[in-house]
Amino acid sequence: MNNEYQFKPHEQPMMVGSPANPDHPVRRKVCYLLIGIIIGLTASFQNGLLVTNLTQIQGDLSLTPMEGGWISVAYNMTNACITVLLYKIRQQFGMALFTKITLSFLLLATSMQWFVSSGLVTAADGMWLDPYYLELVTRGLSGMVASAMTILGLFYCLQGMPTVKRTSGLILGFGLVQFGIPLSRVISPYLTIDGQLESLFLFQFGLALICFGLINLLELPPGHTEKVFEKLDFLSFGFFASGLAALAVVLVQGRILWWTTPWLIYPLIIAIVGISIALWIETHRKNPMLQVRWMRSRNIIAFMITGAVMRILLSEQNVGAAGLLANLGYGNDQLVTFYAVILTASVLALVISIFSTNAMDLRRPVIFAVALIAVGSWMDTTVSINSAPYMFYLSQFLIAFAAVYFMGPLVFEGFLRAITSGPAYIISFSVIFSISQTVGGLAGAAAIQAFTTVRTQVHYADMVSTLNFGDPELVGQIAAARSVLSPQITDITQANTAATLQVLQGVQRQANVSAYGDLFFIMAILSTAATIILLLNYLYYRYHKRNPLAKELAVIAKMRAQK
């Protein structure tokens, strides 16, 4: 006699590779939900802690900026690439094995990070044990695990929601990923208070252990599996992954070394050729991993562009405002309150999104989010050399709120379009969303870095060309600097030169602030234009009393009726 629980028709998995959806008692639902939140936050820490502490990691390992860039490349390339395979891995091997392998990799990665930071490994131990190479491997594993754990946390959140609130679980699962950077910025100064990274990595290792224990205490319900891998999958993935990896190299190292660096042309060629070949293979396959023709449809291209543009606009916060404050001399320990404000906005946006998202009106929250970015960017255009973190609290609160608030409706729209086309389209949606966010974030950071560098040079040249060394005010500034330097420099000529250079450094700092002012102005213009375009499109559908997702919603209603 079979004593295993027999799932009712409405409890069956939505698709192959997904867990079943049984009617859990309330206490178990709460446990699933809490575990999902912990796993989601742990996944978000993988990138957040890297972004927050990369400069210190470079210092501790005595790395050049280019070597530090390779650490970032290692994370982003695996994070973007693994999405292509995750869906099929779950389909063929099931959620139980997928879950344990994911957490095992996380334990390996975090233990390696602690191994590096503890000083137990030195370069003398051999190249394969060099802390730098171990850090590269660790970050590559972290990028892969972060992508897998996002899906794992999402499934746990879905198990913790009532059937009628499954949309809320989807929004919660994806929304938690946005907490990584502000949460890391808030806690990192306390974990690295002694200037060492060991406590930070022990914290990560502890989180991994907690997650591993929790998934063994309460596993996800089983699902269906089937053999889905084909030989062409690995060939296609090889080209696609190499292309994405090469693109990550270009976007990260181009920002650090500058775009005219000759050798960057080679990864750019690899990116174009690799991705093109992969898409060509997928287009002409009988059973493709990626539904290229569907991905080229107008609605999906619009979805991908919207996601990427939003991520680029949101770089105003993570790279723009944060970069300006760093250039003004504010360290992580001085920005705890600043990032606490951002974290508060993120939590508030997630809660509101969970309770207010309406499947019948998914475009309005996105328009509202873009409008908030526009308002915040316009507020930041008044920056000056005397700007302090508290002056950005309101503007960055608005932008942080927008960053999370737009995520739920956007993901829900993409998921609806995919699931109503068929289960095979889910992987294409996952790839589109992941790449638009990862590549959009890297492209936004690269564009901002390039823009501010060029504009700083232009402003500096203009300011220096208008300097009048006979101006009494300028003469007074040089004299004041010379009086400060005179105890250290006895030679009058050298003291004058050093004082002049110090004044010019002040001009350089002012030029840099002006460049960020230009950046915020451009971001304000772009976000305002995006708001107008999205609003006009929204009003067009409202005027004609049409829902852009009417077809997809009808298919979902029919699927529910059949159950």
Side-chain angles (χ1 to χ4, degrees):
M1 181 178 177
N2 187 0
N3 293 321
E4 290 187 4
Y5 179 80
Q6 300 297 313
F7 293 111
K8 304 178 184 71
H10 72 278
E11 296 177 330
Q12 293 294 328
M14 182 178 294
M15 63 194 75
V16 176
S18 299
N21 300 293
D23 298 323
H24 301 293
V26 174
R27 182 180 296 180
R28 191 187 303 159
K29 279 184 178 293
V30 172
C31 291
Y32 271 120
L33 187 61
L34 292 176
I35 293 174
I37 292 173
I38 293 172
I39 291 175
L41 291 176
T42 302
S44 71
F45 270 127
Q46 305 311 306
N47 183 49
L49 292 175
L50 171 61
V51 171
T52 303
N53 299 285
L54 183 56
T55 301
Q56 188 170 344
I57 292 173
Q58 289 179 204
D60 283 6
L61 299 180
S62 301
L63 305 178
T64 65
M66 184 179 75
E67 289 173 327
W70 286 115
I71 295 176
S72 183
V73 168
Y75 175 88
N76 285 287
M77 62 186 286
T78 56
N79 185 258
C81 294
I82 197 62
T83 305
V84 183
L85 285 185
L86 282 181
Y87 184 66
K88 283 205 166 187
I89 290 173
R90 288 190 288 108
Q91 285 184 312
Q92 181 145 338
F93 300 106
M95 280 304 303
L97 184 60
F98 170 82
T99 299
K100 288 181 171 58
I101 290 177
T102 297
L103 267 298
S104 297
F105 273 117
L106 181 61
L107 282 172
L108 176 62
T110 52
S111 62
M112 287 175 66
Q113 284 176 322
W114 174 80
F115 196 46
V116 170
S117 64
S118 64
L120 297 176
V121 178
T122 63
D125 295 325
M127 180 174 292
W128 71 281
L129 281 179
D130 186 283
Y132 175 52
Y133 293 101
L134 278 176
E135 186 67 22
L136 287 176
V137 173
T138 298
R139 292 303 174 179
L141 288 173
S142 295
M144 179 180 66
V145 168
S147 185
M149 286 192 68
T150 299
I151 302 301
L152 182 59
L154 173 64
F155 280 129
Y156 268 92
C157 289
L158 289 173
Q159 293 294 322
M161 292 290 178
T163 303
V164 295
K165 288 289 185 180
R166 286 284 158 79
T167 302
S168 300
L170 186 72
I171 295 171
L172 177 62
F174 280 104
L176 289 171
V177 181
Q178 307 304 310
F179 292 1
I181 290 180
L183 193 54
S184 297
R185 296 277 191 183
V186 170
I187 68 171
S188 287
Y190 300 104
L191 293 173
T192 58
I193 196 168
D194 56 354
Q196 301 296 320
L197 292 172
E198 185 175 356
S199 298
L200 186 73
F201 294 134
L202 277 175
F203 170 75
Q204 274 192 278
F205 182 60
L207 277 179
L209 281 175
I210 290 172
C211 290
F212 193 79
L214 289 175
I215 65 159
N216 282 282
L217 284 173
L218 184 60
E219 294 186 351
L220 287 169
H224 303 310
T225 60
E226 62 182 40
K227 290 186 177 181
V228 293
F229 275 111
E230 301 176 4
K231 292 180 180 179
L232 269 179
D233 289 340
F234 301 101
L235 178 64
S236 178
F237 173 75
F239 281 111
F240 200 69
S242 61
L244 289 176
L247 184 59
V249 171
V250 173
L251 292 175
V252 173
Q253 295 292 10
R255 187 175 79 241
I256 296 170
L257 302 176
W258 199 242
W259 307 99
T260 54
T261 303
W263 65 264
L264 286 176
I265 189 65
Y266 301 112
L268 181 59
I269 292 172
I270 293 173
I272 295 172
V273 173
I275 294 174
S276 298
I277 292 176
L279 293 178
W280 183 85
I281 293 173
E282 291 300 302
T283 303
H284 296 86
R285 285 180 63 182
K286 182 179 180 181
N287 298 308
M289 282 196 302
L290 302 178
Q291 307 294 331
V292 179
R293 291 184 176 86
W294 178 76
M295 292 165 68
R296 292 195 308 229
S297 65
R298 185 183 65 179
N299 287 331
I300 300 305
I301 290 176
F303 169 81
M304 185 164 51
I305 291 174
T306 302
V309 168
M310 285 294 290
R311 185 51 53 198
I312 291 171
L313 291 176
L314 290 169
S315 297
E316 195 269 26
Q317 182 167 88
N318 295 329
V319 185
L324 172 63
L325 291 172
N327 277 282
L328 290 175
Y330 292 97
N332 285 342
D333 57 330
Q334 297 171 293
L335 297 175
V336 170
T337 304
F338 173 77
Y339 282 105
V341 170
I342 291 176
L343 181 61
T344 302
S346 301
V347 173
L348 180 62
L350 182 59
V351 172
I352 293 176
S353 183
I354 287 172
F355 288 101
S356 66
T357 298
N358 180 3
M360 302 301 295
D361 192 6
L362 293 173
R363 297 291 177 86
R364 183 159 46 183
V366 177
I367 297 170
F368 181 65
V370 181
L372 287 181
I373 297 174
V375 173
S377 298
W378 282 115
M379 293 174 66
D380 288 341
T381 56
T382 59
V383 293
S384 70
I385 196 73
N386 297 316
S387 292
Y390 73 89
M391 298 178 181
F392 293 90
Y393 286 174
L394 179 57
S395 63
Q396 297 308 306
F397 182 94
L398 296 177
I399 294 175
F401 185 95
V404 177
Y405 191 65
F406 95 97
M407 183 65 70
L410 188 70
V411 170
F412 191 31
E413 177 177 340
F415 183 78
L416 274 179
R417 293 192 183 281
I419 194 63
T420 54
S421 298
Y425 291 78
I426 295 295
I427 185 173
S428 298
F429 159 71
S430 300
V431 170
I432 287 173
F433 180 76
S434 176
I435 291 176
S436 69
Q437 296 301 292
T438 302
V439 176
L442 290 176
I448 286 176
Q449 188 79 27
F451 180 84
T452 53
T453 299
V454 171
R455 290 303 298 168
T456 297
Q457 293 173 347
V458 171
H459 282 297
Y460 181 74
D462 290 342
M463 291 176 182
V464 170
S465 66
T466 58
L467 285 178
N468 179 8
F469 284 92
D471 182 19
E473 183 178 350
L474 182 59
V475 170
Q477 290 177 0
I478 295 175
R482 185 173 59 245
S483 65
V484 174
L485 294 170
S486 57
Q488 292 86 28
I489 305 175
T490 56
D491 185 271
I492 297 177
T493 302
Q494 290 182 352
N496 278 329
T497 302
T500 303
L501 288 175
Q502 192 173 86
V503 171
L504 290 176
Q505 287 176 356
V507 175
Q508 175 78 23
R509 195 179 304 112
Q510 180 62 59
N512 188 249
V513 172
S514 298
Y516 276 99
D518 295 342
L519 168 68
F520 298 142
F521 179 76
I522 292 295
M523 286 294 188
I525 292 292
L526 291 176
S527 51
T528 301
T531 302
I532 293 172
I533 292 171
L534 291 172
L535 183 60
L536 289 175
N537 181 264
Y538 176 78
L539 293 176
Y540 171 82
Y541 279 104
R542 294 280 291 184
Y543 178 77
H544 290 281
K545 297 181 179 179
R546 290 165 49 195
N547 190 324
L549 290 170
K551 179 181 176 182
E552 287 77 9
L553 291 170
V555 173
I556 291 293
K558 185 177 179 181
M559 291 169 61
R560 287 177 175 173
Q562 290 175 346
K563 287 188 177 182

